Amino acid sequence: MGMDIEKLISEMTLEEKASLLSGADFWHTKAVERLGIPSTMVSDGPHGLRKQDEAGDHLGVNDSIKAVCFPTASATAASFDREMLLRIGEGIGDACQHENLSVVLGPAVNIKRSPLCGRNFEYFSEDPFLAGELAAALIEGVQSRNVGTSIKHFAANNQEHRRMSSDSVIDERTLREIYLPAFEIAVKKAKPWTVMCSYNKVNGEYASQNHWLLTEVLRNEWGFDGYVMSDWGAVSDRVKGVAAGLDLEMPASGGSNDARIVAAVRSGALDEEAVNQSVRCILTVIDRYLSHRKPETEWDMEGQHQLAGKLASECMVLLKNEDHVLPFGKDEKVAVIGKFAREPRYQGGGSSHINSFRVESLMDALAGKDNIVFSQGYDTENEEADEELITQAVKAAAGCDKAVIVAGLPDSFESEGYDRSHMRMPRCQVELIERVALANPNTVVVLYNGSPVEMPWIACVKGLVEGYLGGQAIGAATKAVLWGEVNPCGRLPESFPLQLEDNPSFLTYQGEGNTAVYHEGVFVGYRYYDRKKMEVLFPFGFGLSYTSFSYSNLQLSASEMDDTQTLSVCVDVTNTGSRSGKEVVQLYVGAPECEVFRPVRELKGFEKIELSPGETKTVTFSLDRRAFAYWNTKLHDWFVADGDYTIQIGRSSRDIVLCRSVKVEGTVPEPQDPVSPDSIYMDLEKNPKAMSVVEPLFQKMRETFAGGDEKESDSAASEAVTDEMTQAMIRYMPLRGLLSFGGGSLSYDQLLEIADQINNMQ
Ligand code: BGC
């Protein structure tokens, strides 16, 4: 017996309706007591709860209630595991029911355009398909508990620098192919109850008042049916925002913007129906939440801590394992070095910061274990090496069979609110690694960081585990991976360039003043490095295991198809090693040469499977037209070009193990520009109607160039004009070239008539 929303709307005064369109305070929607509409609470997100009871601020200064910090998105993305995100979502959903929170503010799905973005630890990937699929799973998990999510920050919020004023200037195709699809996939698959718009402008208009983004794309194209809320303080022109589809302003504007909404309706500047529509969206979500309240839901924090640890271990990425230095044997004496081994960095700073009820470090997890020697190695407050700490660490390492250094980025290096200015680790850590590695040849590094770092020391060490910011049980997870209780199965959700300067956005990242032009277009991350065949430190999708896998029997359901059909792809994967393990099977599609620049491969499928030694499983993927399509800016729609596409199965974007091709025919005709005297031959050639008219005319020109009627004395000159040259000259020749080189029998007016005639042909 939910709310009768239409009745409520009809009974509300304009002032009451306007009041509902902004927060009561930092975290609550407003109540209308007269009509029995209660206030509801929202809370950050996205990897656990940051519920602030009183005096809420959004900078993490005021304490929030004790909660569980799951692995952050930087880590969970490396799991390539939808099931994992579902589990985390369910856990967060239960916690929300327990704490009476109607919406959790996440997931955050912005694309990692540059390794420098301060919030990369909260984001999933440089790849929109991966980000979208994982976000959808998290949303499904939370919402299965009848609690809403707020996918954020919509859209193109890829830097913290000037985050509240910067204008992300992105061409249409790049927006559609790179920066919007993670939202699109999640909205279509998982139907988030709310969306949070970003602070920045998108192509000149604040996201919070961008009608194209919030209404045309989000609602009309993707079918979003919840409410859009602003990021905290993202509203500029509130009236414009209501008209654009921004339903809820957060946190609140002291009543000032509510009054502006009322005045705008009264003056006729804003249609009251837009206000009604926002009220409808907000009340629908509130009603959905209230109708399914389960206040008795248990929040098993201890159980969630165990889960967080188990999941974190499956996010860790084994990047180097020379001479099988890992896993450590149970009797080996190991020097555990690094402050992070005692005080791990496991989450990032800012609005996602969680007040963990418990933190488990590597040293906590190793308590009671023999053969462990700890040494601090570095301080997180200082960039410069502390000679005494290093000397102690070197000594500890020299006296052990193996050494592991837990290193990474301190809080001050990356956070919400600002970007990094470089990709380096603190100097004290680099020096520590180099010197410990000299003292013990069996040295392993574990990294706790939210974003890639440069590794000038990589050749010195035998082992490397990327642990990302793995949540409050990161220590248990680290131990499980290092000592082989868990077989590492994470894969990099982003490329690690050798150096910052290699990143495709390097030259113009952060923009000039408030204008950030995304010059690199669709060539983000591996799409760029692969196309350029550039050496990277570690490629997208890469990760090792303590076992090995082989791939065979790649089969496609068709070798030819049209774009209305679905292609089914099967491949067998076998565990060829001696222990159980999980493999991430990655499917990339490579497009044929066509009108637009395309990456050599793009991720269009991934599955994580578990295999016992010797076991084989068949993995099946299904590809629809979107897997082949690019965004066509003439059609303003997805378009499949005819041609041979390659289906590539890989262990990473750089290790394609099996490949087959399929001929795909697009059923939508390629859009043609209207013919004019400026149309050139090679474009006219694609248009049979045009060719039926212009080919005879160009033939005449061809003969002229070939010197068909030249005199004897001109033969030397004609030898200089080869067939290739003639062909090239014709290929790029505009129709109007017929006036100069076509024998002189045509006038410009006649050309216009010819163009008209072609354009009007049925
Ligand atoms: C952040 C959001 C967050 C909100 C509320 C903003 O500053 O950008 O991600 O959900 O604050 O804390």
Side-chain angles (χ1 to χ4, degrees), residues 570-613:
C570 297
V571 63
D572 291 347
V573 186
T574 306
N575 183 341
T576 51
S578 55
R579 56 174 295 176
S580 284
K582 290 187 178 174
E583 171 72 322
V584 176
V585 185
Q586 301 161 39
L587 185 156
Y588 298 87
V589 174
E593 289 286 322
C594 70
E595 280 292 283
V596 297
F597 301 117
R598 297 190 71 174
V600 284
R601 64 184 61 88
E602 297 183 272
L603 186 76
K604 298 295 175 184
F606 62 91
E607 290 299 331
K608 193 166 199 175
I609 50 162
E610 181 159 23
L611 293 167
S612 318

Side-chain angles (χ1 to χ4, degrees), residues 27 44 50 58 105 119 122 152-153 163 196 199 231-232 351 416:
W27 304 115
D44 281 306
R50 188 176 71 102
H58 68 304
L105 305 176
R119 273 187 112 165
E122 254 181 282
K152 65 191 187 182
H153 309 88
R163 69 169 171 163
M196 187 192 293
Y199 286 126
D231 198 345
W232 269 231
S351 60
E416 176 177 342

Side-chain angles (χ1 to χ4, degrees), residues 49-61:
L49 294 194
R50 188 176 71 102
K51 184 185 181 193
Q52 296 191 315
D53 274 341
E54 278 156 78
D57 65 66
H58 68 304
L59 299 172
V61 182

Side-chain angles (χ1 to χ4, degrees), residues 115-132:
L116 297 183
C117 174
R119 273 187 112 165
N120 275 357
F121 70 88
E122 254 181 282
Y123 299 148
F124 288 108
S125 180
E126 67 189 24
D127 182 83
F129 179 73
L130 178 62

Side-chain angles (χ1 to χ4, degrees), residues 28 31 101 106 183 193 243 252 283 289 353 361 366 517 576 581 591 610 683:
H28 291 88
L101 296 171
F183 293 97
W193 292 9
L283 289 184
Y289 172 68
H353 201 269
S361 70
L366 291 172
V517 182
T576 51
E610 181 159 23
D683 293 333

